[in-house]
């Protein structure tokens, strides 16, 4: 079947010079904009007041900023983005807090073991002997938790003689006993 | 790169002549940098602060400058970035409608606290302040500083075509605004 014939679409008559005229028009418009200006407005600097001798003070200000200790130490500090800075600061805060807690705990622990070393073995053994139900481990734990203090170590009435103590001392491995405290 | 700038760079790289080179650089570019910033932020104190910051950055980073672009282009790039960052920060500080920053700057021009130009200059500045920031920057660079599109393209990292279109729109908006101002 023969395809239906459509009459050619009517196009407006365009002169040969149309496109070059258009191009000229666009060029003219662009040049106009390029050259656009309001008389007497190009030199705007004179309309913005600047304090007298300002340029010298600007130079001085730059030098002061460069030589400020904070700038020398951290030239890029103000370039750190704010969220990153906030994160770093909060991490530092938590690290500091954890460090303080750990240090305090360790100091307390060290203090306690230092205190324990001052208690004579005789007193300690006497105390253990005077309380048959208590284990050495239990006593040391109580001392660590603060339930027992150094003053509690005073045994008012020693019911064992020094000889008994010596015998007991022989049966107990002194090194092992101290090891227990150190391990705690 | 211009011979004079190349000389400044060479002197800056030597410890003995570093200070002298920096002084030369400040004296050569301080006014251009200040005026570029001042036209964007209007307020003298803000322009002073930002100009100092630009040169502090130049001091710290000039040694890393590879000289792929002109020294002036590089300094202008820092200046425009500082400017845009400042305006963005200022807008965030206002919280309320974005127009408040422009409103504040317009008020400074209207009241004459930071502007002493005649009526037509005032009208032009008010019309410029209504443009979006980047368009304002392009307009100022082209209209007042007469920087070529090619140089602008290097400074702002935008294509020459986009800059031409941006300037074209800016001029049209300013013309329309001036007409409106004249009628009212």
């Amino acid at each position: 079947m023969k395809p239906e014939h459509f009459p050619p679409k009517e196009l407006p008559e365009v002169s040969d010079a149309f496109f070059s005229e258009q191009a000229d028009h666009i060029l003219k418009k662009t040049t106009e904009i390029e050259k656009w200006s309001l008389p007497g407005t190009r030199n705007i600097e004179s309309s913005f007041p600047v304090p007298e001798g300002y340029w010298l003070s600007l130079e001085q200000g730059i030098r002061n900023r460069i030589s400020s200790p904070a700038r020398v130490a951290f030239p890029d500090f103000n370039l750190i983005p704010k969220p990153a800075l906030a994160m770093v600061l909060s991490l530092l805060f938590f690290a500091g807090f954890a460090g303080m807690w750990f240090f305090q705990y360790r100091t307390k622990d060290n203090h306690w073991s230092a205190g324990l070393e001052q208690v004579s073995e005789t007193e300690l053994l006497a105390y253990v002997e005077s309380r048959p139900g208590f284990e050495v481990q239990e006593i040391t734990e109580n001392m660590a938790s603060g339930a027992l203090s150094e003053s509690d170590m005073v045994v008012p009435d020693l019911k064992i003689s020094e000889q008994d103590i010596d015998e007991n001392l022989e049966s107990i491995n002194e090194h092992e006993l101290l090891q227990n405290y150190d391990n705690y | 790169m211009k011979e004079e700038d190349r000389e400044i760079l060479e002197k800056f790289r030597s410890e003995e002549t570093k200070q002298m080179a920096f002084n030369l650089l400040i004296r050569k570019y301080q006014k251009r940098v200040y005026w570029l910033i001042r036209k964007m932020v209007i307020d003298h104190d803000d322009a002073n602060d930002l100009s100092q910051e630009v040169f502090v950055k130049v001091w710290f980073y000039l040694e890393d400058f590879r000289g792929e672009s002109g020294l002036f282009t590089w300094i202008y790039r820092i200046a425009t970035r500082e400017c845009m960052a400042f305006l963005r920060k200022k807008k965030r500080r206002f919280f309320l409608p974005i127009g408040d920053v422009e409103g504040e700057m317009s008020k400074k021009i209207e009241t004459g606290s930071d502007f002493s130009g005649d009526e037509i200059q005032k009208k032009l500045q008010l019309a410029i302040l209504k443009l979006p920031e980047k368009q304002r920057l392009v307009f100022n660079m082209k209209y007042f500083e007469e920087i070529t599109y090619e140089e602008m393209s290097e400074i702002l990292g935008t294509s020459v075509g986009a800059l031409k279109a941006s300037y074209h729109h800016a001029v049209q908006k300013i013309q329309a605004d001036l007409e409106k101002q004249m009628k009212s």
Side-chain angles (χ1 to χ4, degrees):
Chain A
M1 198 180 151
K2 210 178 170 184
E4 210 175 325
H5 176 72
F6 289 101
K9 203 176 173 184
E10 271 186 41
L11 292 167
E13 269 188 40
V14 176
S15 70
D16 292 342
F18 176 79
F19 291 107
S20 58
E21 273 168 20
Q22 282 297 307
D24 282 347
H25 178 71
I26 292 166
L27 189 69
K28 199 178 160 218
K29 192 94 183 132
T30 317
T31 321
E32 268 171 25
I33 282 176
E34 284 297 297
K35 294 199 170 164
W36 180 88
S37 81
L38 284 174
T41 55
R42 289 246 190 216
N43 183 22
I44 199 78
E45 278 87 351
S46 56
S47 304
F48 286 105
V50 171
E52 234 174 276
Y54 168 64
W55 304 111
L56 282 176
S57 76
L58 174 65
E59 266 188 64
Q60 195 53 48
I62 295 163
R63 263 185 266 282
N64 289 347
R65 281 194 193 198
I66 288 170
S67 54
S68 81
R71 278 286 186 179
V72 175
F74 308 104
D76 287 342
F77 187 69
N78 61 348
L79 293 178
I80 300 173
K82 271 185 185 169
L85 186 66
M87 195 183 277
V88 168
L89 287 176
S90 44
L91 276 174
L92 279 174
F93 174 77
F94 283 115
F97 184 74
M100 262 173 62
W101 178 80
F102 180 73
F103 182 72
Q104 210 173 8
Y105 176 79
R106 282 296 301 259
T107 319
K108 197 177 161 189
D109 188 44
N110 286 343
H111 174 74
W112 174 79
S113 37
L116 194 71
E117 274 167 26
Q118 284 171 8
V119 179
S120 70
E121 275 169 34
T122 319
E123 275 180 299
L124 187 66
L125 287 171
Y127 186 79
V128 172
E129 281 300 319
S130 68
R131 294 174 185 235
F134 279 67
E135 290 294 323
V136 173
Q137 185 66 26
E138 199 178 345
I139 290 166
T140 51
E141 277 172 12
N142 284 338
M143 286 183 82
S145 67
L148 269 177
S149 67
E150 218 177 298
S151 55
D152 293 327
M153 299 298 289
V154 181
V155 185
D157 183 20
L158 277 176
K159 288 182 179 167
I160 48 171
S161 65
E162 278 190 29
Q163 196 185 341
D164 290 335
I165 291 169
D166 287 339
E167 278 171 17
N168 276 302
L169 268 176
E170 276 168 26
S171 65
I172 294 168
N173 186 338
E174 183 190 326
H175 181 72
E176 203 176 82
L177 186 66
L178 287 172
Q179 191 92 41
N180 271 342
Y181 299 138
D182 290 341
N183 286 345
Y184 186 79
Chain B
M1 197 192 297
K2 285 177 188 166
E3 196 51 45
E4 202 183 341
D5 288 345
R6 204 184 302 276
E7 221 171 281
I8 289 177
L9 264 179
E10 271 171 31
K11 282 182 178 148
F12 189 84
R13 281 175 185 145
S14 155
E15 273 309 311
E16 288 163 11
T17 49
K18 190 174 181 171
Q19 288 283 350
M20 190 188 78
F22 191 60
N23 287 350
L24 286 173
L25 184 141
I26 293 177
R27 273 171 211 167
K28 191 174 176 194
Y29 290 114
Q30 62 179 355
K31 287 187 184 173
R32 292 183 78 177
V33 167
Y34 172 84
W35 285 118
L36 173 81
I37 296 171
R38 179 79 189 262
K39 277 172 215 138
M40 286 300 289
V41 300
I42 308 297
D43 183 80
H44 165 73
D45 291 332
D46 291 339
N48 173 45
D49 187 50
L50 286 171
S51 304
Q52 290 190 17
E53 208 53 46
V54 168
F55 283 103
V56 168
K57 290 214 162 87
V58 169
W59 169 264
F60 283 112
Y61 296 106
L62 191 59
E63 263 178 62
D64 302 330
F65 173 59
R66 291 188 296 264
E68 283 165 3
S69 60
L71 184 58
F72 153 78
T73 311
W74 184 71
I75 296 172
Y76 253 46
R77 202 179 299 153
I78 298 175
T80 51
R81 278 184 196 172
E82 282 291 313
C83 236
M84 300 307 253
F86 170 82
L87 290 171
R88 225 172 296 139
K89 215 190 280 175
K90 207 166 184 187
K91 276 184 182 172
R92 253 183 272 140
R93 230 178 286 154
F94 269 81
F95 292 112
L96 289 167
I98 279 173
D100 276 7
V101 177
E102 280 77 31
E104 190 202 44
M105 290 194 277
S106 301
K107 208 179 273 174
K108 279 179 181 168
I109 286 175
E110 278 167 345
T111 56
S113 62
D114 272 278
F115 192 78
S116 59
D118 57 25
E119 206 51 38
I120 190 71
Q121 284 173 330
K122 195 181 275 186
K123 281 187 167 49
L124 175 63
Q125 283 303 316
L126 291 173
I128 294 170
L129 278 176
K130 285 175 192 156
L131 297 174
E133 273 161 26
K134 278 185 187 163
Q135 222 169 60
R136 193 147 62 93
L137 191 62
V138 171
F139 182 82
N140 283 343
M141 281 177 156
K142 178 82 182 69
Y143 189 78
F144 297 113
E145 315 271 323
E146 294 178 343
I147 298 174
T148 63
Y149 286 121
E150 285 71 24
E151 273 181 314
M152 241 195 275
S153 163
E154 272 189 62
I155 295 165
L156 302 172
T158 317
S159 72
V160 170
L163 290 168
K164 280 184 181 174
S166 180
Y167 184 71
H168 187 94
H169 286 304
V171 170
Q172 281 185 330
K173 280 185 199 168
I174 288 169
Q175 271 179 329
D177 192 84
L178 286 172
E179 275 169 31
K180 211 168 114 188
Q181 282 191 61
M182 299 293 182
K183 275 178 197 164
S184 64

